[in-house]
Amino acid sequence: MKHLNLVRFGVSLESGLLQEFDRIIKEKRYPNRSKALSDLIRQHITEKAWNENRKVFGVITMVYDHHRRMLVNKLLKIQHDFHDSVISSQHLHIRHDACLEIIAVKGRGGHIKELFDELKSQKGVLHAAFTESVSA
Ligand code: NI
Protein backbone atom coordinates (compact mmCIF):
# COMPACT_ATOMS: atom_id res chain seq x y z
CA MET A 1 0.00 0.00 0.00
CA LYS A 2 1.13 3.52 -0.88
CA HIS A 3 2.48 5.33 2.14
CA LEU A 4 0.43 8.43 2.93
CA ASN A 5 1.95 11.31 4.78
CA LEU A 6 -0.93 12.17 7.12
CA VAL A 7 -1.10 15.41 9.08
CA ARG A 8 -3.46 16.02 11.97
CA PHE A 9 -5.05 19.43 12.54
CA GLY A 10 -7.81 20.81 14.73
CA VAL A 11 -11.02 22.26 13.30
CA SER A 12 -13.51 24.48 15.14
CA LEU A 13 -17.08 24.44 13.82
CA GLU A 14 -20.50 25.64 14.89
CA SER A 15 -22.23 22.68 16.50
CA GLY A 16 -25.19 22.90 14.12
CA LEU A 17 -22.90 22.78 11.12
CA LEU A 18 -21.05 19.77 12.49
CA GLN A 19 -24.35 17.96 13.15
CA GLU A 20 -25.39 18.55 9.57
CA PHE A 21 -22.00 17.35 8.35
CA ASP A 22 -22.24 14.18 10.46
CA ARG A 23 -25.68 13.51 9.03
CA ILE A 24 -24.28 13.69 5.48
CA ILE A 25 -21.31 11.51 6.45
CA LYS A 26 -23.73 8.83 7.65
CA GLU A 27 -25.89 9.17 4.58
CA LYS A 28 -22.89 8.78 2.26
CA ARG A 29 -21.48 5.97 4.41
CA TYR A 30 -18.11 7.56 5.04
CA PRO A 31 -16.13 5.58 7.62
CA ASN A 32 -15.11 8.76 9.47
CA ARG A 33 -15.00 12.55 9.37
CA SER A 34 -11.40 12.63 8.09
CA LYS A 35 -12.28 10.69 4.96
CA ALA A 36 -15.33 12.86 4.30
CA LEU A 37 -13.38 16.08 4.85
CA SER A 38 -10.50 15.09 2.59
CA ASP A 39 -12.98 14.21 -0.17
CA LEU A 40 -14.60 17.63 0.23
CA ILE A 41 -11.27 19.44 0.10
CA ARG A 42 -10.17 17.51 -2.97
CA GLN A 43 -13.47 18.29 -4.68
CA HIS A 44 -13.06 21.99 -3.89
CA ILE A 45 -9.54 22.06 -5.34
CA THR A 46 -10.66 20.33 -8.54
CA GLU A 47 -13.61 22.68 -8.92
CA LYS A 48 -11.40 25.73 -8.46
CA ALA A 49 -8.94 24.58 -11.11
CA TRP A 50 -11.79 23.87 -13.47
CA ASN A 51 -13.38 27.27 -12.92
CA GLU A 52 -10.10 29.03 -13.57
CA ASN A 53 -9.43 27.18 -16.80
CA ARG A 54 -12.77 27.02 -18.47
CA LYS A 55 -13.83 29.64 -21.04
CA VAL A 56 -16.56 32.01 -20.02
CA PHE A 57 -18.64 34.67 -21.73
CA GLY A 58 -20.31 37.31 -19.65
CA VAL A 59 -20.99 40.89 -18.77
CA ILE A 60 -19.43 43.16 -16.19
CA THR A 61 -21.59 46.06 -15.09
CA MET A 62 -20.38 48.81 -12.85
CA VAL A 63 -21.55 52.14 -11.56
CA TYR A 64 -18.93 54.68 -10.69
CA ASP A 65 -18.41 58.21 -9.55
CA HIS A 66 -17.57 60.24 -12.60
CA HIS A 67 -16.01 63.01 -10.52
CA ARG A 68 -13.47 60.83 -8.75
CA ARG A 69 -10.08 62.05 -9.92
CA MET A 70 -8.44 59.89 -12.60
CA LEU A 71 -10.95 57.07 -12.11
CA VAL A 72 -12.21 57.10 -15.71
CA ASN A 73 -8.60 56.89 -16.93
CA LYS A 74 -7.76 54.09 -14.52
CA LEU A 75 -10.78 52.02 -15.53
CA LEU A 76 -9.87 52.48 -19.19
CA LYS A 77 -6.27 51.50 -18.57
CA ILE A 78 -7.33 48.30 -16.81
CA GLN A 79 -9.55 47.39 -19.74
CA HIS A 80 -6.65 47.98 -22.11
CA ASP A 81 -4.46 45.72 -19.96
CA PHE A 82 -7.08 43.00 -20.51
CA HIS A 83 -7.79 43.90 -24.15
CA ASP A 84 -7.81 40.26 -25.21
CA SER A 85 -10.75 39.62 -22.86
CA VAL A 86 -12.82 42.75 -23.49
CA ILE A 87 -15.20 42.39 -26.44
CA SER A 88 -16.97 45.73 -26.14
CA SER A 89 -17.93 48.33 -23.60
CA GLN A 90 -20.81 50.74 -23.37
CA HIS A 91 -20.84 53.86 -21.27
CA LEU A 92 -24.08 55.41 -20.03
CA HIS A 93 -24.25 58.73 -18.19
CA ILE A 94 -26.96 57.91 -15.68
CA ARG A 95 -26.70 61.02 -13.50
CA HIS A 96 -24.69 64.19 -13.44
CA ASP A 97 -21.98 62.50 -11.39
CA ALA A 98 -22.53 58.79 -12.03
CA CYS A 99 -21.80 56.53 -14.95
CA LEU A 100 -22.90 53.01 -15.74
CA GLU A 101 -20.54 50.89 -17.78
CA ILE A 102 -21.43 47.60 -19.40
CA ILE A 103 -18.49 45.50 -20.53
CA ALA A 104 -18.90 42.31 -22.54
CA VAL A 105 -16.08 39.89 -21.78
CA LYS A 106 -14.81 36.48 -22.81
CA GLY A 107 -11.84 34.41 -21.68
CA ARG A 108 -10.58 31.96 -19.10
CA GLY A 109 -12.51 32.11 -15.84
CA GLY A 110 -9.44 33.00 -13.79
CA HIS A 111 -8.44 35.80 -16.15
CA ILE A 112 -11.94 37.32 -16.17
CA LYS A 113 -12.00 37.18 -12.39
CA GLU A 114 -8.71 39.08 -12.27
CA LEU A 115 -10.15 41.78 -14.55
CA PHE A 116 -13.33 42.01 -12.49
CA ASP A 117 -11.47 42.21 -9.17
CA GLU A 118 -9.20 44.92 -10.53
CA LEU A 119 -12.13 47.04 -11.75
CA LYS A 120 -14.33 46.69 -8.69
CA SER A 121 -11.52 47.44 -6.23
CA GLN A 122 -10.92 50.94 -7.62
CA LYS A 123 -11.95 53.75 -5.28
CA GLY A 124 -15.07 55.43 -6.63
CA VAL A 125 -16.57 52.28 -8.12
CA LEU A 126 -19.88 52.18 -6.27
CA HIS A 127 -21.21 48.90 -7.55
CA ALA A 128 -19.85 46.11 -9.73
CA ALA A 129 -21.27 42.77 -10.80
CA PHE A 130 -20.27 39.97 -13.11
CA THR A 131 -22.93 37.94 -14.85
CA GLU A 132 -21.96 34.87 -16.79
CA SER A 133 -24.20 34.47 -19.79
CA VAL A 134 -22.87 31.27 -21.30
CA SER A 135 -19.87 29.07 -20.73
CA ALA A 136 -18.18 27.81 -23.85
NI1 NI B 1 -20.43 59.18 -17.98
Side-chain angles (χ1 to χ4, degrees), residues 115-131:
L115 167 61
F116 177 62
D117 288 346
E118 190 85 15
L119 289 171
K120 81 168 178 200
S121 64
Q122 298 304 314
K123 276 195 184 118
V125 173
L126 309 168
H127 169 77
F130 173 67
T131 310

Side-chain angles (χ1 to χ4, degrees), residues 66 91-93 98-99:
H66 186 105
H91 184 113
L92 293 88
H93 316 295
C99 305

Side-chain angles (χ1 to χ4, degrees), residues 6-124:
L6 296 177
V7 181
R8 291 183 67 92
F9 67 101
V11 179
S12 305
L13 282 182
E14 290 163 42
S15 65
L17 191 59
L18 185 59
Q19 269 175 22
E20 190 73 6
F21 188 49
D22 282 341
R23 202 179 52 74
I24 292 168
I25 287 173
K26 220 173 154 188
E27 206 176 276
K28 296 200 170 183
R29 298 168 188 272
Y30 277 110
N32 52 52
R33 284 174 178 161
S34 294
K35 182 77 180 76
L37 193 60
S38 73
D39 263 16
L40 260 185
I41 292 171
R42 211 170 282 129
Q43 197 182 316
H44 180 77
I45 290 169
T46 309
E47 215 168 272
K48 188 172 181 291
W50 189 78
N51 279 335
E52 282 173 353
N53 285 321
R54 93 201 145 94
K55 266 189 171 176
V56 296
F57 278 85
V59 176
I60 293 172
T61 52
M62 56 182 181
V63 175
Y64 59 87
D65 179 355
H66 186 105
H67 290 157
R68 173 79 63 155
R69 214 175 151 263
M70 297 304 285
L71 180 60
V72 179
N73 286 2
K74 257 190 233 160
L75 295 175
L76 267 179
K77 186 192 175 298
I78 295 165
Q79 290 183 58
H80 272 276
D81 289 344
F82 286 81
H83 64 90
D84 51 339
S85 297
V86 174
I87 302 169
S88 73
S89 71
Q90 190 173 19
H91 184 113
L92 293 88
H93 316 295
I94 53 173
R95 281 199 309 266
H96 173 68
D97 57 347
C99 305
L100 167 67
E101 200 153 321
I102 304 165
I103 308 165
V105 292
K106 67 164 182 196
R108 299 279 168 204
H111 199 58
I112 298 301
K113 192 179 180 306
E114 253 179 66
L115 167 61
F116 177 62
D117 288 346
E118 190 85 15
L119 289 171
K120 81 168 178 200
S121 64
Q122 298 304 314
K123 276 195 184 118

